[in-house]
Amino acid sequence: MRDNHSLDAVLGTLSATTTSEVPADFMDGVWQRAGQLGEIADRRRRTALFVGLFVVGLGAGAGTSGWPGGYGTSSASFGESLILGEQLSPSALLHVEQ
């Protein structure tokens, strides 16, 4: 019973207010916030695409460059050639025979 009286009081104050109390630039603020939320969503989408492309590129590079996880190489020969720098020489990178 007590809640009904407080509810009636709140509804009475709401009905007494007029709609002219809403600021004139209220809708401008709403559209500005909607634009900000759209920019945030676009930024997240671009970041996710960049991270995805980076991971795919890194995986493709690891698979083709002769890293230990790549195809056709053994980890022992990779470690020795990496120390000697054979795979990082310009002729090896350009696939030029010496």
Side-chain angles (χ1 to χ4, degrees):
M1 191 59 111
R2 186 175 174 188
D3 291 332
N4 289 338
H5 293 296
S6 62
L7 180 62
D8 289 338
V10 170
L11 290 175
T13 57
L14 285 176
S15 67
T17 59
T18 60
T19 57
S20 63
E21 293 180 11
V22 176
D25 61 343
F26 175 75
M27 287 307 293
D28 292 337
V30 170
W31 287 113
Q32 181 181 8
R33 182 65 180 152
Q36 289 172 348
L37 292 175
E39 289 174 3
I40 291 170
D42 288 341
R43 189 177 311 128
R44 285 182 183 157
R45 187 177 304 117
R46 283 192 306 264
T47 302
L49 286 173
F50 172 75
V51 168
L53 287 174
F54 180 77
V55 168
V56 167
L58 191 62
T64 60
S65 67
W67 283 5
Y71 299 107
T73 61
S74 66
S75 61
S77 66
F78 175 75
E80 292 173 3
S81 65
L82 184 63
I83 293 171
L84 297 175
E86 293 173 359
Q87 289 185 344
L88 300 178
S89 67
S91 61
L93 293 173
L94 294 173
H95 305 290
V96 176
E97 295 183 23
Q98 296 176 349

